Amino acid sequence: MSQQRVLRIVETVAAGALVVLAAFAALGEPPTTSEWRAAAFFTVFGVLAAALTYNTSKSTAGTISFLPFLSVALVSPNLAALLAVLMSTLLAEIVHRRPPLKLVFNTAQHTFSVAVGIALYLAVGGESVLTGAPQILPFVLLVATYFIVNKLAVSTVVAASSGSGTLQLWIKSIGGSALYDALSMPLIIFFAIAYARLGPGWTAILALPMLGIRQLYRTVYALEKVNEELLQLMVASIEARDPYTSGHSQRVARYARVIAKEVGLPPRQIERVEIAALLHDVGKIHEEFAHILRKPGRLSDEEFAMMKLHPIRSAELVAKVSHFADLVAPVRAHHEAWNGAGYPDQLAGQSIPLAARVIAIADTIDAMTTSRPYREGLSLEKVRAEIAAESGRQFDPALADAITTQRAWSAISETILRAQLDLPATELRLTYGGLVPGNTGEFVALGVGSKDVVHAA
């Protein structure tokens, strides 16, 4: 059913692109020779920019192709610009070996988005920068229209393929890149005026550093992605030893991320909390824990004492990676309790690292919501009530109070349900870096002394 919806959306967008192309050909001013030359130049520029596209999720990609697309719209606001966008996108899609459906959609939606933007640009008095200076209002309208239509098209098709809400995805996409969209506007004007005043040669020279920076950022992003996937692989291999906690660390990392976000931590700190949560149980790879992890029932006192060592072992392993130096203390302290009754160091209150306090809640949420051979997982409302009950004892009261509000708990509950169903949240999380943002979208209680909790976690 979702595939049929996607197909209908692609057909609609493709039909819209053909209609606007026909309208510009029949009703618009015919391009001059200079405008055709500009279109040819920006087609090449567009192919190079689109070639530096990289995937930001399973469904979306980030690209800087909007720079040549909107620059050529200022130089040749007519059929020539649309054909430049169409050809550069089509060639780039072929280079990336996109499946036919994605090829058609991406080519059509970029062409349609630029066409709508040019139509409004001309309607409010905009003209080619070859004959005059760009006017602010028409230019802002061109850029805003392009981004709005582009992101709406991508959000619609991603929502259809994933079952998410179109409006929610669109708002998230718009809000997440509004600042970068605004910061990109001078670059668009810069390349349009450079071409009009200096010609293609100098414009190409000026574009090279930007493309180089973009390639560097793409490489860095790819390395970060590989490192992230290696971490996931390592954690998954460790958890394979315990059939009852498979996926535990990944879920705890997801819960920790949403908790950190809901309590207002800055983005960089959220990222580090998430990584610490992913690594919090890596010490269980030690052979001394193997027979305990395979045990289906409650732990004996001796086994329980042994399991209390796993935060220390985890911290020791994390300390071997210099990039994770700031994560050692949170990993070691993730079983500490606000009232000092935790382990291994009996830390209390603010002496417990903030990241560890977040992980402690996320860890317990997963322990309580996961069914075990000797008990069923608790309902979300019971989990919420248990967190509130342990506020000031097991958990940081400020964190516990913040996440048990109706708004915050709704977000956390959605994350828990998605994790349990193994449905990854589909987000248009577009990544930016350096001087060149890539913001155009493409479809591509149980208390601390409980032996059950320790074994489940």
Side-chain angles (χ1 to χ4, degrees):
M1 186 63 181
S2 62
Q3 188 66 23
Q4 292 178 347
R5 290 178 59 198
V6 169
L7 183 58
R8 286 198 296 270
I9 292 169
V10 173
E11 290 173 345
T12 301
V13 174
L18 290 175
V19 168
V20 294
L21 282 170
F24 270 81
L27 305 175
E29 291 290 329
T32 64
T33 302
S34 297
E35 289 172 337
W36 280 119
R37 289 173 181 164
F41 171 81
F42 282 103
T43 296
V44 176
F45 188 1
V47 171
L48 292 175
L52 298 178
T53 295
Y54 59 91
N55 292 334
T56 54
S57 76
K58 292 182 179 179
S59 302
T60 59
T63 175
I64 58 167
S65 56
F66 68 93
L67 287 175
F69 291 174
L70 295 176
S71 294
V72 72
L74 290 176
V75 178
S76 309
N78 47 47
L79 181 63
L82 298 186
L83 292 178
V85 172
L86 186 150
M87 289 303 301
S88 58
T89 307
L90 179 62
L91 291 172
E93 292 292 294
I94 293 173
V95 169
H96 284 293
R97 298 183 180 180
R98 303 281 192 211
L101 197 66
K102 290 186 178 182
L103 181 150
V104 171
F105 175 78
N106 286 331
T107 303
Q109 64 96 355
H110 280 305
T111 303
F112 183 79
S113 300
V114 173
V116 176
I118 290 177
L120 293 177
Y121 176 77
L122 296 173
V124 295
E127 59 182 4
S128 170
V129 295
L130 293 173
T131 58
Q135 298 172 285
I136 297 300
L137 177 60
F139 169 68
V140 171
L141 189 59
L142 166 68
V143 175
T145 300
Y146 171 77
F147 283 131
I148 289 171
V149 175
N150 164 258
K151 294 175 190 298
L152 180 59
V154 175
S155 298
T156 301
V157 76
V158 171
S161 64
S162 66
S164 304
T166 299
L167 182 61
Q168 180 184 11
L169 290 175
W170 182 63
I171 292 174
K172 184 177 293 186
S173 176
I174 290 288
S177 65
L179 175 62
Y180 298 97
D181 293 345
L183 293 176
S184 69
M185 293 172 70
L187 286 173
I188 297 167
I189 295 179
F190 171 78
F191 283 111
I193 294 179
Y195 182 88
R197 303 292 183 267
L198 303 175
W202 278 106
T203 306
I205 292 173
L206 293 171
L208 286 177
M210 182 204 67
L211 294 174
I213 292 171
R214 177 62 176 188
Q215 176 60 29
L216 177 62
Y217 182 75
R218 183 187 183 205
T219 302
V220 170
Y221 179 85
L223 289 173
E224 290 177 347
K225 192 68 176 175
V226 168
N227 288 337
E228 177 185 336
E229 290 171 350
L230 287 174
L231 278 178
Q232 295 281 356
L233 177 62
M234 179 186 71
V235 170
S237 65
I238 294 170
E239 293 186 345
R241 303 178 68 173
D242 181 4
Y244 301 110
T245 60
S246 178
H248 166 71
S249 294
Q250 288 88 344
R251 292 192 300 272
V252 172
R254 291 173 69 171
Y255 302 162
R257 180 181 184 87
V258 72
I259 291 170
K261 183 177 180 181
E262 289 300 321
V263 300
L265 297 187
R268 173 63 177 172
Q269 196 168 357
I270 293 173
E271 177 188 337
R272 302 306 285 176
V273 169
E274 183 179 17
I275 296 173
L278 182 66
L279 298 173
H280 77 285
D281 275 349
V282 293
K284 289 180 179 179
I285 196 172
H286 284 277
E287 187 61 31
E288 60 190 323
F289 304 117
H291 71 285
I292 302 176
L293 293 175
R294 297 191 185 99
K295 184 176 180 179
R298 290 172 60 88
L299 305 182
S300 67
D301 290 340
E302 293 76 14
E303 291 167 336
F304 180 62
M306 176 64 72
M307 282 303 296
K308 282 188 174 183
L309 297 176
H310 84 268
I312 299 174
R313 299 290 183 264
S314 295
E316 290 171 349
L317 288 177
V318 171
K320 295 182 181 296
V321 181
S322 59
H323 182 62
F324 294 156
D326 61 316
L327 308 183
V328 175
V331 168
R332 183 182 177 99
H334 75 271
H335 274 298
E336 301 290 356
W338 185 259
N339 63 2
Y343 60 88
D345 302 311
Q346 290 75 54
L347 302 178
Q350 298 289 342
S351 63
I352 304 171
L354 177 57
R357 286 176 256 155
V358 172
I359 297 169
I361 297 177
D363 196 18
T364 305
I365 287 175
D366 191 59
M368 289 191 289
T369 55
T370 303
S371 294
R372 307 290 298 187
Y374 45 85
R375 62 164 173 79
E376 290 295 319
L378 302 183
S379 69
L380 293 179
E381 281 309 307
K382 286 184 178 179
V383 172
R384 181 184 183 185
E386 191 64 35
I387 291 173
E390 289 296 318
S391 175
R393 290 189 292 179
Q394 183 174 354
F395 305 127
D396 178 342
L399 294 182
D401 293 347
I403 69 167
T404 51
T405 62
Q406 187 60 47
R407 184 194 63 79
W409 191 250
S410 294
I412 294 169
S413 297
E414 181 182 353
T415 304
I416 294 170
L417 292 172
R418 283 185 178 276
Q420 290 179 338
L421 295 172
D422 197 28
L423 293 175
T426 303
E427 298 179 348
L428 290 174
R429 295 201 306 173
L430 306 183
T431 306
Y432 313 93
L435 301 175
V436 188
N439 51 349
T440 304
E442 290 188 348
F443 182 49
V444 273
L446 301 166
V448 295
S450 167
K451 301 173 186 177
D452 290 349
V453 173
V454 176
H455 189 42

